[in-house]
Amino acid sequence: SQTIHQWPATLVQPVGSPLSLECTVEGTSNPNLYWYRQAAGRGLQLLFYSVGIGQISSEVPQNLSASRPQDRQFILSSKKLLLSDSGFYLCAWSVPLEQFFGPGTRLTVL
Amino acid sequence: DAKTTQPTSMDCAEGRAANLPCNHSTISGNEYVYWYRQIHSQGPQYIIHGLKNNETNEMASLIITEDRKSSTLILPHATLRDTAVYYCIVRVGDKIIFGKGTRLHILP
């Protein structure tokens, strides 16, 4: 069965520090991968999606970046976090007609 | 931008059917309608999807109008555990964009 892993589950970082969130998928090949962010009390905002290794589409200009070094690995990064980067970060994968979400990482920037 | 519009919130009595509407008037012929729900502090959970025909699974039923411009998600016997935000999504190619969803309150 398909499984999606995200870590860490929670993270507290100071403003200006770097960020690296990792997402890995098991049980599927060549999935589309997605990063979403959900600010407190808000909806899900699509940040990045990838249809293959090294292929990244950015939906919102910001200080975040994403990379896909392997077929089933998706990484969200930042060189310098802002207070506004706080939120719930969700990784998701999809193949035609199905999309599933990971457990999420709750990031607090202080 | 999301291609769907939903009411901001709805109430439903426990044990009754919850009917959640969604408008997607700009949907194209090969675009599917998906429904997800998000229970507080968790990732979204897939519920059901459909193209033209009505669909039913163990969680819910999806009724799509003949012109495909709107749909209704039906939870046949709502329980308190169904309290969540429900998202209706039209998938546009590889991009899956969530709207604001409907916050469903199940009343005891």
Side-chain angles (χ1 to χ4, degrees):
Chain A
S1 63
Q2 301 87 356
T3 306
I4 183 166
H5 301 280
Q6 277 188 254
W7 63 91
T10 59
L11 189 61
V12 180
Q13 292 283 105
V15 169
S17 64
L19 173 73
S20 180
L21 300 180
E22 187 163 344
C23 169
T24 59
V25 180
E26 295 178 2
T28 186
S29 296
N30 196 32
N32 289 353
L33 296 174
Y34 304 81
W35 278 111
Y36 291 87
R37 177 172 63 198
Q38 188 171 36
R42 307 291 294 274
L44 287 144
Q45 179 186 35
L46 178 62
L47 301 176
F48 302 95
Y49 69 97
S50 170
V51 300
I53 296 173
Q55 301 178 61
I56 308 295
S57 296
S58 175
E59 288 299 298
V60 182
Q62 59 214 326
N63 68 318
L64 299 172
S65 62
S67 62
R68 185 170 178 175
Q70 300 179 47
D71 181 45
R72 288 172 282 181
Q73 184 184 30
F74 205 22
I75 298 171
L76 182 70
S77 304
S78 173
K79 292 181 180 179
K80 285 187 178 181
L81 284 168
L82 306 173
L83 286 174
S84 58
D85 291 324
S86 292
F88 190 40
Y89 287 81
L90 288 153
C91 179
W93 68 269
S94 79
V95 292
L97 304 185
E98 293 182 280
Q99 187 190 37
F100 297 94
F101 286 81
T105 294
R106 193 162 300 281
L107 172 66
T108 303
V109 182
L110 302 176
Chain B
D1 289 335
K3 293 183 67 172
T4 61
T5 56
Q6 299 175 253
T8 303
S9 66
M10 291 182 63
D11 293 338
C12 179
E14 189 177 16
R16 304 297 294 270
N19 296 281
L20 293 97
C22 178
N23 287 325
H24 30 80
S25 58
T26 62
I27 194 170
S28 298
N30 60 348
E31 291 173 342
Y32 282 75
V33 179
Y34 287 79
W35 283 83
Y36 291 81
R37 72 179 182 185
Q38 187 176 24
I39 296 170
H40 182 62
S41 298
Q42 298 180 25
Q45 175 191 23
Y46 164 85
I47 300 173
I48 199 166
H49 73 273
L51 182 64
K52 297 180 186 177
N53 299 322
N54 298 336
E55 303 287 343
T56 295
N57 63 21
E58 64 278 4
M59 289 183 68
S61 295
L62 174 61
I63 309 298
I64 303 174
T65 58
E66 193 169 340
D67 63 8
R68 301 212 324 122
K69 292 186 177 182
S70 65
S71 61
T72 301
L73 179 75
I74 301 173
L75 307 178
H77 303 287
T79 70
L80 295 176
R81 288 176 295 181
D82 292 321
T83 294
V85 178
Y86 287 76
Y87 296 97
C88 169
I89 297 162
V90 171
R91 181 168 174 170
V92 183
D94 295 314
K95 284 167 55 169
I96 302 172
I97 297 177
F98 285 72
K100 296 183 179 179
T102 296
R103 187 170 296 276
L104 177 65
H105 301 276
I106 305 300
L107 307 175

